[in-house]
Amino acid sequence: MTNNFAQDVLKGLTAKSKHLSSKYFYDDNGSRIFQEIMNMPEYYLTDAEFEILSMQSKQIIDALQFSTPFNIVELGAGDGFKTFKLLEYLVNNDVDFNYMPIDISQEAIDILVERLGERLPNLNIRPKVGDYFEILKVNKQSDFPSLLLFLGGNIGNYQSGKARDLLNLFNDNMKIGDKLLIGFDIKKNPIIIHNAYYDEHGITKRFNLNLLLRINRELGADFKIDDFDFYCHYNPITGDVKSYIVSLRKQSVEIKAINKTIEFDYNELIWTELSKKYSLDEIRNLAKASNFQLITNLLDCKHYFTDSLWEKI
Ligand code: AVJ
């Protein structure tokens, strides 16, 4: 893990245009800061998806058309709070299913299992820690159909080609008739999106700069985070929110674990994240390009976000 981190940091910070991957935001600190982001009123994604999953559980389950017991496999379950409403609906209606939350963090899974055990004692839960695809491969052998959950808009972190590759990999590890429920943030008034990412409280700035603190701690670097700032920008044509760390001075930073001193120019950028927004047409095309049939788009009342239900054909 740390090894991959070191290699990716080396590659990203010695590239001509510097970049770091947003997947490294989520150490313990970063996960806590992300909770703060989800609690900001400006970060509408969380509330919108929560509304969909609490108000439209019945529509989702009816649309699955599974006639046997089934598995619900959640990729990147996190604390699982929004999934709770869907699980609660199923348990209360005596539906026969297994819930398999998958996460790379043992700590996240432990918390999730404890919470769900208290709130839904009758839930049949089979948590897994590890690589999505290893686990999906095993799950494909199950006698029962599966519903995969990929929620929260995480697909937005992938550039188009990469998103297609990832969804094709999901598809390869599913049986015909299996379903995927996948969250997309939808293109909307640019100001609303701008405010969700370039927030006044500086929480998203802290979320980004935490990555430098993580490099300091795990890779023995000496980033002075007061000498860096945060900038992000929404392009309403492409739907890309791009986030950057900005060097406020010409400076050099030593990173012991990779044996390098990295030079930063005045105002030089490190690209940290893509959070892509989709139109409903783009979602339809992406489903097709990855061998799925789109069954239905479930939307919140403001049409800010969709959980899109796809079938492997
Ligand atoms: C967890 C990837 C869905 O892109 O909206 C929040 C992460 N970044 N604010 C997103 C994030 C800045 C988030 N995802």
Side-chain angles (χ1 to χ4, degrees):
M1 187 74 191
T2 307
N3 228 348
N4 284 339
F5 183 41
Q7 278 167 19
D8 288 350
V9 168
L10 173 64
K11 197 162 167 244
L13 294 185
T14 53
K16 199 148 173 289
S17 302
K18 292 185 172 62
H19 56 90
L20 292 167
S21 169
S22 59
K23 75 177 177 198
Y24 294 116
F25 281 163
Y26 304 90
D27 63 352
D28 287 346
N29 262 327
S31 301
R32 255 177 255 127
I33 303 170
F34 184 57
Q35 295 288 338
E36 286 184 59
I37 288 177
M38 290 193 291
N39 289 330
M40 307 191 300
E42 295 87 349
Y43 194 72
Y44 57 84
L45 291 81
T46 312
D47 292 343
E49 191 173 50
F50 185 73
E51 181 202 309
I52 294 168
L53 293 176
S54 24
M55 309 285 280
Q56 301 182 72
S57 293
K58 182 170 169 21
Q59 283 87 327
I60 295 168
I61 301 307
D62 289 351
L64 295 178
Q65 301 207 309
F66 289 154
S67 52
T68 62
F70 56 92
N71 310 305
I72 295 185
V73 180
E74 181 166 11
L75 306 163
D79 79 349
F81 187 64
K82 50 184 174 288
T83 322
F84 174 77
K85 294 308 267 183
L86 185 70
L87 300 172
E88 182 186 53
Y89 170 84
L90 290 165
V91 169
N92 288 344
N93 286 278
D94 285 320
V95 177
D96 192 357
F97 75 105
N98 276 315
Y99 174 55
M100 187 189 290
I102 310 179
D103 208 283
I104 44 162
S105 158
Q106 179 74 54
E107 189 185 301
I109 286 289
D110 290 345
I111 295 170
L112 179 65
V113 169
E114 194 189 311
R115 274 199 199 164
L116 287 175
E118 276 168 21
R119 295 225 220 159
L120 294 173
N122 291 326
L123 178 69
N124 193 345
I125 175 166
R126 307 201 173 157
K128 294 272 187 299
V129 174
D131 179 67
Y132 290 175
F133 297 105
E134 297 298 317
I135 297 164
L136 285 177
K137 219 179 277 169
V138 174
N139 183 65
K140 195 178 179 180
Q141 309 307 318
S142 161
D143 293 332
F144 297 112
S146 294
L147 166 64
L148 264 58
L149 304 178
F150 192 55
L151 302 176
N154 291 333
I155 193 69
N157 281 162
Y158 296 81
Q159 286 171 278
S160 305
K162 288 270 161 59
R164 212 182 319 117
D165 292 349
L166 179 72
L167 293 167
N168 268 303
L169 266 180
F170 287 173
N171 190 289
D172 289 345
N173 289 287
M174 293 166 73
K175 299 190 288 288
I176 291 182
D178 282 359
K179 309 291 189 295
L180 169 65
L181 187 67
I182 175 170
F184 289 94
D185 195 15
I186 300 175
K187 286 178 173 165
K188 60 183 65 62
N189 186 328
I191 295 166
I192 293 172
I193 296 178
H194 174 92
N195 291 340
Y197 289 87
Y198 207 15
D199 71 277
E200 288 185 340
H201 324 283
I203 299 174
T204 312
K205 170 176 167 169
R206 247 196 299 131
F207 187 53
N208 276 258
L209 293 182
N210 176 61
L211 190 46
L212 303 185
L213 293 176
R214 180 174 181 181
I215 296 173
N216 280 352
R217 198 177 51 248
E218 293 185 21
L219 304 180
D222 59 358
F223 279 102
K224 296 186 203 65
I225 60 159
D226 290 346
D227 288 340
F228 292 87
D229 201 353
F230 166 70
Y231 178 68
C232 82
H233 166 262
Y234 175 55
N235 178 337
I237 309 287
T238 60
D240 292 351
V241 173
K242 289 192 174 179
S243 300
Y244 303 91
I245 290 169
V246 186
S247 174
L248 294 176
R249 319 197 276 124
K250 182 173 165 59
Q251 54 187 316
S252 44
V253 174
E254 194 193 339
I255 308 179
K256 292 208 177 79
I258 58 174
N259 244 316
K260 281 259 180 231
T261 300
I262 306 288
E263 304 292 339
F264 289 90
D265 267 337
Y266 180 44
N267 291 330
E268 187 172 350
L269 303 174
I270 309 171
W271 179 30
T272 53
E273 188 172 41
L274 168 68
S275 302
K276 186 177 159 47
K277 310 307 168 196
Y278 283 82
S279 68
L280 293 177
D281 272 343
E282 289 171 307
I283 293 171
R284 197 165 291 281
N285 291 337
L286 185 57
K288 202 183 269 171
S290 41
N291 295 311
F292 288 97
Q293 180 175 335
L294 196 156
I295 301 173
T296 180
N297 281 322
L298 300 134
L299 297 152
D300 64 297
C301 65
K302 291 179 178 155
H303 291 200
Y304 280 179
F305 194 91
T306 183
D307 279 329
S308 191
L309 185 66
W310 300 0
E311 176 173 351
K312 169 162 171 149
I313 46 172

